[in-house]
Amino acid sequence: MIEKMKFSQKKEAEKNVLIIRDEIDRVLTHARIASDAAAHLLAGQCDAATQTGIRKIVATTPDIRTVSLLRGNEIYCSSVFGAQYFRLAAQSTPPAGFSLMDGNALTPYRSLLIYHAVHAGKSVMVGIDGYYLQYKLKINDRRTDYQMTLNGLTLNAAGQVLTHRDPTASLRYFSPEYQYQISANPVAPVSPNLLLKDIWHEEKSGVFLTFLLSALLSTFTSKTLSQRNTLLFMLEKALDKNELIPFIQPIIEAESGNTVGGEVLMRWKHPQRGHIPPDQFIPLAEQNGLITRITQSGLRHVADALNSAGIIPARDMTLFFNVSAADFINHDLLEECREFRRKTPLSGWQIGLEITEREPVEDTHVAQALCKRLDALGVQISIDDFGTGNSNYRYLMQFRPHYIKIDKVFTSGIETDASKEAIVRNIIAIAQDMRCMTIAEGVETASQKEKLAEMGATHFQGFFFSKPVEIATFFQNTRNPLP
């Protein structure tokens, strides 16, 4: 029986390796397409038309994070920094073709793949976020670990770039077109659940099944009892009991200094464990299909609070709720927004949805139809943490947002960091070209605020103005401008 399971697992791994190879081939093909599209721009200077051209390539080509133009080892034009010059050290200049890297100056702790195409002394360098490749390697197979090896470096499903490949891998498949390798290594070859399923469907051996069930019963009971103390189990119960409560961090209009909205952030205070940080339970919810319930809980809590308080603001207020890829696979989100509208008619409170960067939102017919109906309902879209994770130029084309949020990784220390200033100036310029507003996150000092205002940021969010507060406190603060 175990041998049959091993054979089945191998067949499943072989199928998945081919799927992964085809998906990564498609990503690498997009890099070549982007490079070919940018080649004609090498003939000119890094003027406004060239910068618009390379940003359009990034925006319209799937999976692409950056496009840069080089003379020798000097970057003279890029989709991120515009016309700023950067000289690459000889050992840091990627060779022609595809290369894996464990990070760069912009994102030193995030892997990326570079495609470098040389054209008579000049070259185009296309960057692909390693997250896209990592996402392909995370195929739904918990029994097997998949890795990609290119030019002696290996990328695993955790996003790490290793200088060696796994010598124990049982399967290795090469890409004939791009000369990289996908390897598969079993990490959980046999489990009681899989064995039980195999026996039930193939052997139907009643005597052995009865014996096996009795042998597993004590283990199952023990695990079930211990599960009650796990964070996932507690989170499910917390959602059932409405223990997660919304806090709101104000969003400030730069020009007037008025509070014009807020970001709704769900907080969890466990009866025994106390406050549990969002960075512990939000990823857990995303991994286990609970994130849509958290979105629903936030919308319902806030709508009920607004309905009960009966507060009509002096000006329109937009409350932004975080949504993820899971919210775009059906129309449940639309129904929740409609219910919010029904509970708060003509109140001056508007709905905003912040699309998070952690998991990619696929551009499906369902997602497209949902976005159109949300727009018709008056729901405003914001791209969260622009420039990180999946929040890139593709999202600008896909969602046509009302707001772009500038991540605090770029606003922190912007007063003295020329690279961050260049990035933020380009993000603001893109937003202005697309006629959408910007929200600068992580504003903690007056000097940050002044610098960002001078650069053209339209809105602020951060501890300089207020930490996230309970709904009642937020209602009170909206009556007066914050300092």
Side-chain angles (χ1 to χ4, degrees):
M1 183 59 61
I2 291 177
E3 290 304 316
K4 291 181 71 174
M5 288 186 65
K6 288 182 178 179
F7 179 77
S8 174
Q9 182 177 354
K10 182 180 178 181
K11 287 296 182 183
E12 181 72 13
E14 289 175 349
K15 181 187 75 173
N16 287 337
V17 163
L18 294 176
I19 292 173
I20 293 170
R21 187 192 66 184
D22 290 346
E23 290 290 329
I24 292 181
D25 274 1
R26 188 174 297 112
V27 173
L28 271 56
T29 297
H30 291 155
R32 277 188 174 172
I33 290 171
S35 174
D36 292 345
H40 76 280
L41 299 172
L42 292 169
Q45 300 300 313
C46 190
D47 54 17
T50 300
Q51 293 178 45
T52 299
I54 57 177
R55 288 173 184 149
K56 184 178 179 181
I57 292 168
V58 174
T60 57
T61 311
D63 306 316
I64 304 305
R65 190 175 84 175
T66 60
V67 172
S68 302
L69 308 181
L70 293 83
R71 296 189 188 96
N73 66 335
E74 184 178 70
I75 297 175
Y76 69 91
C77 195
S78 76
S79 56
V80 176
F81 295 103
Q84 288 209 9
Y85 283 76
F86 297 92
R87 184 177 295 278
L88 302 176
Q91 65 272 21
S92 300
T93 304
F98 288 97
S99 303
L100 278 172
M101 298 177 64
D102 59 1
N104 62 4
L106 182 60
T107 53
Y109 306 109
R110 287 266 294 277
S111 60
L112 69 155
L113 183 140
I114 297 294
Y115 178 58
H116 190 193
V118 180
H119 302 270
K122 292 186 178 181
S123 61
V124 177
M125 198 159 63
V126 177
I128 296 174
D129 198 317
Y131 183 88
Y132 297 134
L133 304 176
Q134 176 189 348
Y135 183 74
K136 306 299 183 187
L137 295 170
K138 283 183 178 180
I139 197 165
N140 188 24
D141 182 358
R142 296 185 179 181
R143 296 180 293 167
T144 307
D145 178 49
Y146 298 94
Q147 298 182 345
M148 172 188 180
T149 300
L150 173 66
N151 296 334
L153 296 177
T154 297
L155 175 71
N156 63 20
Q160 300 168 314
V161 176
L162 311 173
T163 56
H164 62 278
R165 66 183 184 182
D166 188 350
T168 65
S170 60
L171 293 172
R172 301 185 192 278
Y173 279 76
F174 284 88
S175 166
E177 185 170 3
Y178 293 111
Q179 302 302 306
Y180 66 87
Q181 176 183 272
I182 298 296
S183 59
N185 185 44
V187 293
V190 177
S191 75
N193 286 339
L194 291 173
L195 183 58
L196 178 59
K197 181 179 178 182
D198 199 52
I199 294 169
W200 180 261
H201 287 292
E202 297 187 23
E203 297 296 325
K204 295 182 174 62
S205 173
V207 174
F208 184 67
L209 179 60
T210 302
F211 172 78
L212 184 60
L213 280 171
S214 61
L216 294 174
L217 183 59
S218 59
T219 302
F220 174 78
T221 303
S222 174
K223 286 186 176 181
T224 301
L225 291 173
S226 64
Q227 185 189 42
R228 294 181 181 276
N229 294 319
T230 66
L231 194 62
L232 177 59
F233 184 85
M234 291 190 295
L235 178 58
E236 290 174 334
K237 292 301 178 184
L239 287 167
D240 291 340
K241 296 177 181 179
N242 290 319
E243 289 180 357
L244 272 65
I245 58 174
F247 278 54
I248 302 177
Q249 187 170 33
I251 293 173
I252 312 302
E253 186 180 57
E255 184 176 0
S256 66
N258 291 329
T259 299
V260 293
E263 180 182 358
V264 178
L265 302 163
M266 300 303 286
R267 296 293 184 255
W268 180 13
K269 185 176 181 181
H270 189 270
Q272 283 78 44
R273 295 196 178 188
H275 290 284
I276 297 178
D279 60 3
Q280 290 186 18
F281 71 85
I282 293 296
L284 188 67
E286 289 178 327
Q287 295 163 10
N288 292 277
L290 296 177
I291 194 65
T292 56
R293 290 188 62 189
I294 293 179
T295 304
Q296 293 167 359
S297 177
L299 282 160
R300 293 173 184 179
H301 263 103
V302 174
D304 290 341
L306 289 171
N307 194 27
S308 299
I311 294 178
I312 299 177
R315 65 190 67 85
D316 281 351
M317 293 276 176
T318 303
L319 296 177
F320 290 93
F321 300 83
N322 288 293
V323 293
S324 66
D327 291 298
F328 286 84
I329 62 175
N330 56 44
H331 285 191
D332 290 351
L333 178 61
L334 178 65
E335 293 306 314
E336 291 294 334
C337 291
R338 284 174 173 165
E339 182 62 22
F340 187 101
R341 284 275 193 236
R342 284 192 286 268
K343 289 180 178 179
T344 58
L346 303 176
S347 65
W349 298 98
Q350 308 299 322
I351 306 171
L353 299 178
E354 281 192 17
I355 302 172
T356 60
E357 82 289 356
R358 288 181 291 271
E359 295 291 338
V361 180
E362 300 297 335
D363 193 13
T364 63
H365 291 302
V366 172
Q368 292 169 9
L370 176 60
C371 290
K372 288 179 181 178
R373 293 181 181 180
L374 288 170
D375 185 63
L377 191 62
V379 174
Q380 300 185 40
I381 298 294
S382 173
I383 303 298
D384 194 22
D385 298 340
F386 185 77
T388 68
N390 289 284
S391 295
N392 57 21
Y393 294 98
R394 179 175 66 87
Y395 272 13
L396 298 183
M397 302 296 291
Q398 183 176 343
F399 295 105
R400 302 290 179 176
H402 301 81
Y403 294 86
I404 295 175
K405 296 196 79 172
I406 305 171
D407 189 72
K408 62 184 178 182
V409 72
F410 301 132
T411 61
S412 175
I414 193 171
E415 310 96 306
T416 57
D417 191 317
S419 295
K420 291 181 178 180
E421 180 179 346
I423 293 170
V424 172
R425 285 195 185 278
N426 277 281
I427 293 174
I428 292 173
I430 291 167
Q432 291 170 345
D433 288 343
M434 296 193 67
R435 294 180 173 83
C436 60
M437 292 170 281
T438 50
I439 302 174
E441 293 186 295
V443 179
E444 297 183 355
T445 65
S447 58
Q448 264 184 293
K449 171 193 167 186
E450 292 166 5
K451 180 70 174 180
L452 289 162
E454 176 268 322
M455 295 170 67
T458 60
H459 295 77
F460 304 125
Q461 181 181 345
F463 279 23
F464 178 73
F465 303 96
S466 173
K467 64 181 181 181
V469 295
E470 294 184 5
I471 290 181
T473 304
F474 178 79
F475 288 163
Q476 180 62 38
N477 289 344
T478 56
R479 294 188 171 93
N480 300 294
L482 291 169

